[in-house]
């Protein structure tokens, strides 16, 4: 048994607050009777209609957000900073989505969101080997001699990084900085910043431009879109075929 407004929110009809308005205004019927009472409970076999139309139960949803800088990807934080959840449209929040892994507050770019816990664990669990691609603006002129170290793996804190790829995209000699593209297939805390810092080239700005096969191409900062069925299947495929031994 579940409260009617919660059921409507879970089915993706509206946020819980909007579902309460729909109920109080008499738009919702259960087994042929209009229900305006808020505590009313429904169970799976009940016929729930909104404005006479049956609702489709959408259990799992998958989105990609082009996360802006300055918002956190955890739901709460002691410094009271804005969270990604607070910038999502109500309709998406009604599915109770959460971010797949984390991006730092000052990192922008691809952030997957879902309400499918198994999917999330598969993508960010310790065995996951899915590629994440970053563009990092670093302090200093990054020497190509260090690329071999990234390819082989090197010690950062108390672990050795998995083999990764690094391409030097451009040098800005005037401002003494470089733009590097780093592709890693693990996701330890602050990993990209720590890797580049350990090499002696601290990150000034970081953007994640790809997670597996999903990019933010065509999405403005703060915009979100549903993943296509093809993207979801590809991520499932990458997660199950690529487990790191
Ligand atoms: N690595 C980092 O250091 N920060 C991020 O936000 C993502 C990867």
């Amino acid at each position: 048994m579940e409260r009617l407004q919660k059921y409507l929110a879970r089915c993706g009809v509206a946020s819980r607050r909007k579902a309460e308005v729909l109920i109080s205004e008499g738009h919702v019927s259960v087994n042929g009777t209009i229900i305006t009472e808020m505590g009313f409970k429904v169970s799976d076999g009940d016929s729930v209609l909104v404005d006479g139309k049956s609702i489709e139960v959408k259990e799992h949803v998958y989105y990609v957000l082009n996360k802006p800088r300055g918002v956190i990807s955890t739901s709460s934080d002691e410094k009271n900073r804005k969270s990604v959840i607070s910038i999502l449209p109500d309709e998406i929040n009604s599915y109770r989505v959460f971010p797949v892994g984390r991006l730092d507050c000052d990192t922008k770019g691809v952030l997957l969101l879902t309400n499918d816990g198994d999917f999330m664990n598969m993508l960010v669990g310790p065995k996951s080997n899915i590629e994440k691609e970053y563009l990092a603006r670093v302090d200093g002129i990054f020497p190509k001699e260090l690329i071999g170290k990234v390819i082989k793996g090197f010690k950062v804190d108390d672990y050795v990084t998995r083999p990764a790829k690094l391409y030097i995209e451009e040098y800005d000699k005037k401002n003494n900085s470089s733009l590097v593209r780093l592709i890693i297939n693990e996701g330890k805390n602050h990993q990209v910043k720590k890797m580049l810092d350990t090499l002696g080239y601290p990150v000034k700005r970081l953007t994640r431009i790809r997670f597996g096969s999903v990019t933010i191409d065509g999405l403005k900062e703060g915009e979100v879109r549903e993943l296509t069925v093809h993207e979801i299947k590809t991520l499932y495929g990458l997660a199950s075929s690529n487990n790191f031994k």
Side-chain angles (χ1 to χ4, degrees), residues 184-201:
I184 59 173
N185 55 11
E186 55 192 331
K188 298 220 163 44
N189 242 354
H190 311 301
Q191 179 152 357
V192 171
K193 289 179 186 164
K194 283 191 175 169
M195 283 172 76
L196 292 165
D197 218 13
T198 305
L199 295 174
Y201 296 83

Side-chain angles (χ1 to χ4, degrees), residues 67 73 102-108 132 134 184 186-195 203 206-208:
K67 176 193 166 303
S73 52
R102 288 187 191 174
L103 282 183
D104 295 335
C105 186
D106 60 355
T107 301
K108 63 176 184 158
K132 271 85 60 180
Y134 296 87
I184 59 173
E186 55 192 331
K188 298 220 163 44
N189 242 354
H190 311 301
Q191 179 152 357
V192 171
K193 289 179 186 164
K194 283 191 175 169
M195 283 172 76
V203 171
L206 187 60
T207 306
R208 179 152 73 191

Side-chain angles (χ1 to χ4, degrees), residues 172-187:
D172 180 348
K173 293 209 166 122
K174 202 164 127 233
N175 293 305
N176 189 37
S177 75
S178 317
L179 184 67
V180 300
R181 179 187 299 264
L182 182 58
I183 303 173
I184 59 173
N185 55 11
E186 55 192 331

Side-chain angles (χ1 to χ4, degrees), residues 20-62:
E20 285 173 0
V21 175
L22 287 174
I23 296 168
S24 65
E25 289 180 350
H27 292 277
V28 185
S29 72
V30 179
N31 301 329
T33 306
I34 299 276
I35 302 295
T36 51
E37 170 202 334
M38 234 24 88
F40 194 88
K41 294 215 167 127
V42 287
S43 48
D44 278 347
D46 287 334
S47 152
V48 180
L49 307 184
V50 176
D51 291 330
K53 290 197 199 102
S54 59
I55 53 179
E56 228 177 86
V57 182
K58 210 172 177 186
E59 290 288 350
H60 286 145
V61 291
Y62 308 87

